[in-house]
Amino acid sequence: MFACVPDPIPARMKGLNRAEICDVNFIEFVNGLGQGPGHAPQDAAPVLPGSALDAQGFRELFESQLISRHLDLMARVLRVQNKVFYTIGSSGHEGNAMVARATRHTDPAFLHYRSGGFMAERFRKLPGMDPVMDSALSFAASKEDPASGGRHKVWGSKPLWVLPQTSTIASHLPKALGTAMAIEAGKRLGLSLPVPDDSITICSFGDASANHATAQTAFNAAAWSSFQKLPAPVLFICEDNGIGISVKTPDGWIAESFRHRPGLDYFHADGLDLAGGYAEVQRAVEHCRTTRRPTFLHLRTTRIMGHAGTDFEIEWRALEELCAVEAGDPLLRSAQIAVESGLMDKDEVLALYEQTRKRCFAAAEAADQRPRLTALADVIAPLAPYTPEKVQTEATRADFGERRLQVFSSEAALPEKQPARHLAIQINQSLHDLFAKYPETVLFGEDVAQKGGVYTVTKGLQKAFGPCRVFNTLLDETMILGMAQGFANMGLMPVPEIQYLAYLHNAIDQVRGEACSLQFFSNDQFRNPMLIRMAGLGYQKGFGGHFHNDNSISALRDIPGLVVGCPSRGDDAAAMLRTLAALAKADGRVCIFLEPIALYMTKDLYEPGDGQWLFPYPAPEQALTLGEGRVYGEGHDDLVIFTYGNGVPMALRAARTIEHTQGWKVRVLDLRWLVPLNADWIATQAKGARRIIVLDEGRHSAGIGEGVITALVEAGLGGVPLRRVTGADTYTPLAGAALLVLPGDEDVVAAAAQLE
């Protein structure tokens, strides 16, 4: 290996940055190599005696390593010229090209950002593709970048089954495991998968990220699956370079932590030595593919040239240490193998090195001339696609009558033939309908199977459709949502249940950072449609407190591309579920159905026994349009109340009191759709209003009300007398004290009195 002499610094090295030093190191190291044996091994022969890697394979892997390296070097040079916009490199990790060679291009891959070698090698799997130009377009943030359309520098490719992502702290591990589990689930259900039945899922990450809670979630769930003999063919690849930005991983920590972990089959390979490391990489891949068990490949790597172009390691890391790291550059070992094997002489190695450099710079200069995103409409185009006609056609499609009869047992037992019902029953009936309509639908979560959920909303679904389509998961919301993404990746329609809105906060990045970003960062090439059911909001009686009465809706409003529907009554719930499922099916959208717990069993509106909050079930061809609200008291303009969820029956009760005491005609408007808010509908309904109340059970500083008021002001209606009735800025306490922090009927009446 190259020996760096730190003191004194050779004159030829003075003034060079570490990237330039690594470049010079390689050239000098190769020039210092001796002569080879004088004959080259045959293409199919081992590149070195005893190696599992043949000569042709080595040459191609070496070329992939060089492509990865020169993309890094190019990025460092051209970033300062504003021609490249990303400098987190793969230098020292080029050995991950071995994983690409040992796997198939149809094995879905969720990659660490240091995956240049992997990508260059996987490009060989399909003829006619150019890893250099594709990567250069991505570095340049060009609209023509085939991975993300210029939205981010991501490793990705639709034809190569590399799903673009921006995960940097292991947030991609749950969805990688979920995809592996979905491959097996799809086979059990007899569905046609988009990848071969024996595919495995590839998931790479760094040693520092292995400590993250999200990573541990995936490892635990993988082991949990193994313990129950459930197939989960995921290949976890820990690329261990011994450091996370500037924090060192203790020597031996990864091996000690994972070598004996139950349910994870451990392999170790030297990613710094192609000839020596390939056998174990190959063995790990084949083990995962044949056993269908979660497999952990501990790949030795190093990190040279720092974390990124902005990481000046010389400022915080000893020069002797830097020199030692650079001496372990895997490209030095590859050059040595090339010469010692006789496959190349040192002149050929250097010629290939310089040829690759020229290729990368030429591609980068060409990419710099390609168009970039310059219009907002172009930037957001893939974020939240919406095709109203397609969605409406899909939502109202009712061509599954025969299957419905099987599910509900007879014509007379169809839900639309039954008396009016409350919210929980109608959600249950509509879920039965959706499962009859979409054979690819699966529902899972905590307690949803035999028990039917905490509130029996999923009761009978497993009996009707079987344990492969309705099943319980481990108690882990992060993994539930990761699994949902995996199932969606494999063409299924997941309906995960998060037991309470408060439990989402443990796992919300799986929605915000992962699920909702996929269409955006893949330029709508990949989609992970899903319909997340979630019980929430306040006013629950019997037991409660914050974790069962959570009104933090603003956490959902911050997620780009998300759709959130919130019903207040059963017939709306059925019609909205059809629309949400159609949005997922037709446009690939990620949807949340926020179900008000306190209204699940509500039957009465004004007085006990009046039955005025029971409604007939809508026929299967009836659905709502996204953004369509409900109007109570059409044409009544004395007072208009905007609200949703629990606020709807509350507003109706208050309206009756206000009409009696004030003599006003009151119109109550149920928003129904909370994300995105329909600003046009809000403005239209407010025109002519003499007074407005916005009733929002969310907290005063973080709810839906601000969005409603903004819509009114932007429509020029800010002069209408207005009051906001909200929850207090606090967590919800237990028992009757909860009603002190949540708005009530009397608060609405009092607000109206202030508008006289």
Side-chain angles (χ1 to χ4, degrees):
M1 295 292 181
F2 178 81
C4 175
V5 182
D7 190 24
I9 299 174
R12 68 186 185 282
M13 297 290 190
K14 288 182 178 178
L16 300 183
N17 60 44
R18 301 317 298 183
E20 292 167 331
I21 288 172
C22 289
D23 191 16
V24 172
N25 280 350
F26 182 86
I27 295 168
E28 293 192 350
F29 176 83
V30 174
N31 278 322
L33 290 172
Q35 297 299 315
H39 58 85
Q42 297 294 313
D43 284 352
V47 66
L48 290 179
S51 175
L53 181 62
D54 61 37
Q56 179 178 337
F58 169 81
R59 174 181 275 279
E60 293 178 350
L61 284 170
F62 187 30
E63 290 174 354
S64 295
Q65 288 185 309
L66 291 176
I67 288 171
S68 178
R69 175 61 55 85
H70 278 298
L71 287 172
D72 285 359
L73 292 171
M74 172 275 295
R76 299 297 179 94
V77 172
L78 297 186
R79 177 66 195 97
V80 297
Q81 300 177 30
N82 216 33
K83 295 180 178 180
V84 159
F85 302 93
Y86 192 85
T87 57
I88 295 180
S90 304
S91 296
H93 285 247
E94 292 91 351
N96 56 35
M98 293 188 288
V99 180
R101 187 169 192 85
T103 54
R104 305 171 185 163
H105 79 276
T106 49
D107 291 329
F110 302 83
L111 300 180
H112 186 226
Y113 45 61
R114 303 195 194 279
S115 296
F118 180 101
M119 288 300 296
E121 185 64 23
R122 182 166 270 209
F123 266 75
R124 298 182 189 280
K125 305 286 184 176
L126 289 180
M129 299 187 68
D130 183 356
V132 174
M133 192 63 207
D134 280 11
S135 299
L137 289 166
S138 188
F139 276 108
S142 169
K143 285 176 65 174
E144 297 176 8
D145 162 28
S148 75
R151 288 165 186 82
H152 204 283
K153 165 63 188 74
V154 288
W155 297 117
S157 170
K158 177 67 172 178
L160 295 176
W161 266 100
V162 179
L163 288 80
Q165 59 194 32
T166 59
S167 303
T168 57
I169 49 171
S171 54
H172 58 299
L173 271 70
K175 66 183 180 184
L177 174 59
T179 302
M181 299 171 78
I183 291 170
E184 298 300 311
K187 290 190 292 187
R188 288 193 295 271
L189 291 170
L191 300 174
S192 177
L193 294 172
V195 297
D197 285 359
D198 65 343
S199 296
I200 65 173
T201 297
I202 300 161
C203 181
S204 60
F205 50 93
D207 49 291
S209 294
N211 300 295
H212 197 275
T214 311
Q216 294 295 323
T217 279
F219 301 142
N220 179 70
W224 184 84
S225 299
S226 290
F227 184 76
Q228 299 180 89
K229 304 295 190 295
L230 296 172
V234 59
L235 179 64
F236 290 123
I237 306 153
C238 181
E239 298 185 14
D240 185 358
N241 63 24
I243 196 166
I245 304 183
S246 67
V247 179
K248 294 180 181 177
T249 297
D251 289 343
W253 167 245
I254 295 297
E256 181 69 20
S257 181
F258 290 95
R259 185 165 45 205
H260 304 298
R261 186 173 292 205
L264 286 181
D265 300 338
Y266 177 89
F267 293 79
H268 181 272
D270 188 352
L272 303 180
D273 185 340
L274 298 182
Y278 190 70
E280 280 300 290
V281 170
Q282 198 172 44
R283 198 163 75 89
V285 170
E286 289 309 305
H287 174 84
C288 184
R289 196 177 305 282
T290 55
T291 66
R292 318 304 288 166
R293 285 174 55 84
T295 304
F296 189 95
L297 173 59
H298 183 189
L299 189 68
R300 180 190 176 205
T301 63
T302 190
R303 191 191 77 190
I304 62 175
M305 294 162 49
H307 174 71
T310 53
D311 178 18
F312 301 107
E313 288 183 295
I314 195 68
E315 296 179 354
W316 58 270
R317 204 170 185 182
L319 180 58
E320 292 82 1
E321 184 181 347
L322 281 174
C323 288
V325 169
E326 290 160 1
D329 184 346
L331 265 64
L332 305 184
R333 173 57 180 156
S334 293
Q336 186 179 50
I337 294 169
V339 174
E340 287 184 0
S341 68
L343 193 62
M344 306 170 74
D345 62 32
K346 57 186 180 182
D347 289 337
E348 289 174 315
V349 170
L350 290 174
L352 179 60
Y353 188 74
E354 294 304 328
Q355 175 188 333
T356 308
R357 185 199 305 273
K358 290 177 182 177
R359 182 182 171 193
C360 290
F361 270 88
E365 293 290 352
D368 180 52
Q369 302 304 311
R370 303 290 180 88
R372 295 191 174 100
L373 294 167
T374 57
L376 175 60
D378 291 339
V379 171
I380 65 175
L383 173 65
Y386 179 40
T387 52
E389 290 184 5
K390 283 177 61 178
V391 170
Q392 189 67 11
T393 298
E394 181 61 31
T396 57
R397 178 172 63 84
D399 55 359
F400 53 103
E402 185 175 339
R403 183 69 176 115
R404 288 191 85 220
L405 287 176
Q406 294 173 353
V407 169
F408 292 107
S409 75
S410 70
E411 183 81 25
L414 292 173
E416 61 268 28
K417 306 283 187 179
Q418 306 308 305
R421 302 288 192 184
H422 57 64
L423 177 66
I425 287 180
Q426 295 209 16
I427 293 175
N428 177 274
Q429 291 170 329
S430 58
L431 288 172
H432 279 79
D433 261 342
L434 288 181
F435 268 66
K437 182 175 182 177
Y438 299 110
E440 69 273 24
T441 305
V442 288
L443 185 147
F444 48 87
E446 302 158 20
D447 304 307
V448 300
Q450 296 91 340
K451 179 177 173 60
V454 174
Y455 301 97
T456 69
V457 176
T458 59
K459 183 178 180 181
L461 274 170
Q462 188 184 68
K463 182 177 180 181
F465 298 101
C468 289
R469 294 186 65 188
V470 181
F471 53 90
N472 292 325
T473 65
L474 72 175
L475 197 156
D476 185 340
E477 286 75 24
T478 297
M479 196 58 232
I480 290 170
L481 293 172
M483 191 183 304
Q485 293 173 76
F487 274 70
N489 289 334
M490 290 295 101
L492 284 80
M493 170 91 76
V495 185
E497 177 179 293
I498 301 299
Q499 212 164 71
Y500 293 98
L501 172 58
Y503 297 176
L504 174 70
H505 306 309
N506 302 317
I508 198 165
D509 185 56
Q510 289 298 306
V511 179
R512 187 187 192 282
E514 297 297 329
C516 283
S517 72
L518 181 61
Q519 283 177 275
F520 181 77
F521 286 119
S522 72
N523 202 16
D524 201 22
Q525 296 177 86
F526 287 100
R527 296 176 166 188
N528 44 202
M530 66 187 71
L531 172 48
I532 303 166
R533 290 184 46 256
M534 192 183 313
L537 305 181
Y539 306 97
Q540 184 184 189
K541 298 177 181 178
F543 74 103
H546 165 67
F547 290 105
H548 304 100
N549 285 278
D550 185 9
N551 57 358
S552 54
I553 305 158
S554 59
L556 303 177
R557 292 188 60 208
D558 180 54
I559 301 176
L562 184 65
V563 175
V564 179
C566 179
S568 64
R569 45 190 271 184
D571 55 344
D572 281 358
M576 293 172 76
L577 276 168
R578 293 165 189 165
T579 303
L580 291 166
L583 282 162
K585 184 74 175 176
D587 290 330
R589 300 295 293 274
V590 177
C591 305
I592 288 180
F593 195 54
L594 184 58
E595 302 170 4
I597 300 170
L599 296 179
Y600 269 149
M601 312 300 175
T602 298
K603 300 177 182 179
D604 306 320
L605 177 58
Y606 297 113
E607 288 88 25
D610 69 14
Q612 291 196 45
W613 213 242
L614 301 173
F615 300 94
Y617 187 81
E621 65 274 6
Q622 296 178 26
L624 293 182
T625 301
L626 178 62
E628 177 187 356
R630 180 180 285 278
V631 180
Y632 298 85
E634 186 74 54
H636 295 175
D637 289 338
D638 292 334
L639 173 64
V640 171
I641 304 175
F642 289 95
T643 189
Y644 62 92
N646 293 300
V648 178
M650 182 187 301
L652 290 171
R653 290 191 297 269
R656 192 168 74 163
T657 301
I658 293 166
E659 288 174 357
H660 177 72
T661 58
Q662 308 281 16
W664 297 345
K665 294 295 185 181
V666 181
R667 180 163 20 117
V668 173
L669 303 169
D670 183 354
L671 296 166
R672 295 198 287 206
W673 306 96
L674 306 186
V675 182
L677 283 172
N678 188 342
D680 291 340
W681 184 82
I682 291 169
T684 298
Q685 290 297 326
K687 286 179 180 176
R690 298 182 181 89
R691 306 165 187 85
I692 295 174
I693 288 177
V694 178
L695 171 56
D696 176 10
E697 72 168 271
R699 293 192 296 277
H700 183 269
S701 61
I704 294 296
E706 307 97 303
V708 174
I709 294 172
T710 299
L712 295 173
V713 171
E714 291 180 346
L717 299 169
V720 179
L722 182 147
R723 288 289 183 275
R724 187 158 61 110
V725 179
T726 70
D729 281 336
T730 180
Y731 297 100
T732 305
L734 194 62
L739 299 180
L740 300 175
V741 305
L742 294 169
D745 299 22
E746 65 282 358
D747 297 310
V748 182
V749 174
Q754 296 173 4
L755 290 170
E756 284 190 33

